[in-house]
């Protein structure tokens, strides 16, 4: 088929313009005689690609010189260990907020290295809401406070940045980085697996306040030591060069769309359209507390689960792909990251309306 | 320029046919409506890509069912920690052979987790040779014996597989995997960063004998636990999907060339041509003991270092790229992995001869 609308939660759809440029440059990057993936990471060409990507990312995300930006490997899941290994320092405790499946994974890994204090949990509401911060039991001796701003599977998203006082705030922005403006100065560390809003999998971007560098425990693998990676410009070993290059193309594309302000407006509009349609149609339902509905991942159910197979089949035929919900949640899920055009959401709504009309 | 001959040590040149296929499939993989880098790693399409790549790799490298093949992230440098963390078990000691810069890096990282016994070193010969095994001081209580079959920087390569008795043999094949036939059954663990003979950086392939799984120390990050990665088919988290796909294309290409036997013959011929030329021309020199000269990385010096700049400039003009030697060695280095065609070596020799004639 021609290009479909791909609602996959990640790896996720990329801007067509980015893929076209990558295709164009595949065999010969700007007259260099080679593909980017064949370049020495220490060559002038690749260093320019890498530096440009970092500069554009800093500009887009508003990252000051007080922070290092690292391009690491191993995905967000590696960061679940890297964070306690690096940030505990001489402390033993860390605070975590549990708002769903990705929070739980972060907590489970951290608990192998730290005394984890779960300061708040969405479990009582079956993770359909975010606990108000007023009730959180934070610990002033915690090395950091970790939360997951957007839960990709549950489809629940914070509409506020937690206050953490002097305790560094750490956030897994894998599924919402660059999707709207963000005040980085409120954070000690932000990390994001690339495969949703940044580029291909195999890359994870870390923003770390420089005063948090240099505290790694002695058991930390060198490749997980933030200070080592920072001191070597993310080239302590050969980085994931092609993923870094593609991330750079995505950053240029986001800038060309008007930056994170414009992306935020577009993402708000896309999400509102879809939620409004779901709320206005008895045939579909979304279980999330309206205030905390994710702008990136929209889970929804049909009035009759027995129709799920037909719904997915019809969607596939119309080039609306990967709408099946996560196995732990069931139903459907539409991931509508930056690269999903508004026309894709419109096409989805049109199909959902027709399906409800016919089968509802 | 058009496609050059790229002698970079890694990331390194890839087969042009592979890049062309990747270009062709960039926006729409086989009618799926999406790029491989946009596919869910759990989709039928990507699982087929991943399984095919593993099957082809097993066939090429001759890997039996007694071994797991893992597609991990973080490069060989991450393996330097992953290996002791997983293989020490209830032992405390590990044996290492030191044949150059990459051996030393592996040793330094292992020494953070194990009592490292350096059983042999090429230091006395300034790493221009490999110590005969008869003189190695191996330790029967070592958890494993580690060596580096080919030293990418020094250009020295084992022409034998060490005997390790009941001690598992571990080898960093980053720069020589799939370059000639190999008896995997002699090894406990083989690892190889992808960016020389397999594909783009950001992927490391591990072959591990299954009885060595399940011994990870409790401080091992989950993403570094071989058993977890093996049990999850290298999809405990989102793997580096696009790199995995490209590796698969390279494996198909190696098969089409006649497999590792044919690659081995070609690589022998390429290396012999180049060394024969160097040995026959007073203007160039290679310092390595002839028996242990690398078939993959050929360092050489000019009679007068003051001519290095002119040599490199003239090479660039002829599309012979990245011949500058590693900063720790100086001089020149031609890396001639599987994907470097014989015509590239011929072109290099022709240029070297002309330069020596004119300036020697």
């Amino acid at each position: 088929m021609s290009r479909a609308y791909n609602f996959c939660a990640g790896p996720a759809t990329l801007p067509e313009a980015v893929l076209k440029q990558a295709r164009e440059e595949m065999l010969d990057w700007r007259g260099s005689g080679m593909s980017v993936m064949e370049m020495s990471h220490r060559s002038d060409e690749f260093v320019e690609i890498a530096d440009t990507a970092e500069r554009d990312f800093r500009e887009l995300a508003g990252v000051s010189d007080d922070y290092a930006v690292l391009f690491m490997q191993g995905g967000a899941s590696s960061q679940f260990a890297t964070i306690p290994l690096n940030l505990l320092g001489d402390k033993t405790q860390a605070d975590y907020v549990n708002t769903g499946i990705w929070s739980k994974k972060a907590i489970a890994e951290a608990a192998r290295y730290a005394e984890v204090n779960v300061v708040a949990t969405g479990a009582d509401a079956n993770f359909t809401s975010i606990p108000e911060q007023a009730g959180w039991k934070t610990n002033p001796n915690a090395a950091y406070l970790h939360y997951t701003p957007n839960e990709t599977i549950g489809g629940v998203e914070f509409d506020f940045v937690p206050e953490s006082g002097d305790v560094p705030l750490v956030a897994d922005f894998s599924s919402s980085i660059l999707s709207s403006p963000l005040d980085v100065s409120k954070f000690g560390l932000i990390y994001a697996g690339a495969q949703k809003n940044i580029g291909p999998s195999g890359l994870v971007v870390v923003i770390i306040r420089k005063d948090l560098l240099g505290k790694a425990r002695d058991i930390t693998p060198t490749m997980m030591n933030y200070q080592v990676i920072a001191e070597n410009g993310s080239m302590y070993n050969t980085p994931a060069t092609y993923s870094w290059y593609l991330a750079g193309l995505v950053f240029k594309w986001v800038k060309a769309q008007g930056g994170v302000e414009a992306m935020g407006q577009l993402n708000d509009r896309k999400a509102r359209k879809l939620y409004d349609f779901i709320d206005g149609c008895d045939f579909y339902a979304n279980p999330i507390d309206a205030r905390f509905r994710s702008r990136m991942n929209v889970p929804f159910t049909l009035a009759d689960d027995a129709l799920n197979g037909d719904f997915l089949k019809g969607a596939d035929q119309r080039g609306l792909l990967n709408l099946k919900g996560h196995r732990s949640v069931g139903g459907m899920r539409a991931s509508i990251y930056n690269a999903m055009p508004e026309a894709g959401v419109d096409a989805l709504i049109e199909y959902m309306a027709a399906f409800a009309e016919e089968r509802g």
Side-chain angles (χ1 to χ4, degrees), chain A:
Chain A
M1 66 175 67
S2 60
R3 292 276 299 167
Y5 290 121
N6 174 14
F7 295 93
C8 191
T13 194
L14 289 166
E16 191 168 341
V18 164
L19 293 173
K20 283 183 171 165
Q21 186 172 347
R23 180 174 66 182
E24 184 70 29
E25 297 176 340
M26 177 61 84
L27 271 83
D28 182 13
W29 185 80
R30 303 192 192 172
S32 65
M34 64 185 83
S35 176
V36 172
M37 65 180 87
E38 301 175 298
M39 288 178 183
S40 169
H41 52 296
R42 309 216 183 267
S43 65
D44 292 345
E45 290 90 347
F46 187 75
V47 169
E48 181 195 324
I49 289 169
D51 287 352
T52 304
E54 179 178 335
R55 206 161 47 237
D56 286 338
F57 178 75
R58 282 182 176 274
E59 186 184 326
L60 281 170
V63 184
S64 79
D65 286 344
D66 295 337
Y67 292 79
V69 172
L70 314 179
F71 290 80
M72 298 178 71
Q73 298 183 56
S77 293
S78 287
Q79 295 297 316
F80 294 163
T82 309
I83 287 162
L85 283 167
N86 279 269
L87 298 194
L88 281 171
D90 52 11
K91 301 197 171 185
T92 57
Q93 300 177 53
D95 282 355
Y96 278 74
V97 184
N98 178 9
T99 51
I101 289 174
W102 289 103
S103 298
K104 284 183 213 174
K105 287 185 186 243
I107 288 166
E109 186 75 357
R112 302 180 55 231
Y113 303 101
E115 294 168 37
V116 170
N117 174 31
V118 178
V119 302
T121 173
D124 298 341
N126 200 24
F127 299 106
T128 58
S129 191
I130 303 278
E132 298 285 351
Q133 191 172 3
W136 296 10
K137 299 188 179 68
T138 53
N139 172 2
N141 290 319
Y144 58 88
L145 167 63
H146 179 283
Y147 81 114
T148 310
N150 182 65
E151 285 281 357
T152 317
I153 293 173
V156 63
E157 184 173 9
F158 279 76
D159 71 342
F160 63 94
V161 174
E163 293 294 334
S164 65
D166 289 339
V167 173
L169 185 61
V170 174
D172 176 359
F173 268 96
S174 292
S175 48
S176 53
I177 189 86
L178 300 182
S179 70
S180 61
L182 182 67
D183 183 356
V184 170
S185 73
K186 292 185 174 174
F187 294 84
L189 188 151
I190 285 170
Y191 62 110
Q195 68 271 18
K196 294 152 198 304
N197 267 326
I198 291 180
S201 59
L203 182 74
V204 52
V205 178
V206 176
I207 307 170
I208 180 169
R209 217 173 58 213
K210 288 176 180 169
D211 65 289
L212 298 176
L213 296 169
K215 298 181 181 186
R217 285 179 62 185
D218 59 3
I219 58 167
T220 308
T222 302
M223 283 287 295
M224 285 183 163
N225 186 317
Y226 288 135
Q227 187 174 32
V228 171
I229 304 304
E231 284 174 354
N232 288 277
S234 302
M235 295 196 195
Y236 174 76
N237 82 331
T238 312
T241 52
Y242 197 68
S243 301
W244 194 334
Y245 153 73
L246 281 160
L249 297 186
V250 171
F251 300 151
K252 287 279 185 221
W253 177 84
V254 175
K255 286 177 75 173
Q257 309 309 303
V260 291
E261 291 77 10
M263 293 298 350
Q265 287 164 14
L266 174 65
N267 287 327
D268 284 347
R269 201 162 61 233
K270 281 152 49 184
R272 198 162 47 238
K273 266 189 184 180
L274 187 48
Y275 285 115
D276 283 351
F277 170 76
I278 290 169
D279 290 343
C281 178
D282 287 344
F283 188 74
Y284 300 101
N286 166 282
I288 308 299
D289 181 351
R291 182 179 153 198
F292 298 113
R293 282 173 163 175
S294 169
R295 300 162 305 116
M296 297 284 106
N297 310 98
V298 183
F300 61 91
T301 51
L302 277 56
D304 180 357
D305 272 347
L307 295 174
N308 286 354
D310 286 354
F311 180 88
L312 289 167
K313 198 171 157 193
D316 273 1
Q317 285 166 353
R318 282 161 188 78
L320 305 168
L321 305 185
N322 292 317
L323 285 162
K324 191 175 180 181
H326 190 270
R327 59 189 181 280
S328 66
V329 174
M332 306 295 150
R333 174 174 49 165
S335 293
I336 51 175
Y337 303 118
N338 282 353
M340 173 57 66
E342 190 165 1
V345 174
D346 292 340
L348 173 60
I349 291 171
E350 193 181 331
Y351 169 62
M352 288 171 72
F355 189 89
E357 175 79 20
E358 193 184 325
R359 308 293 295 273

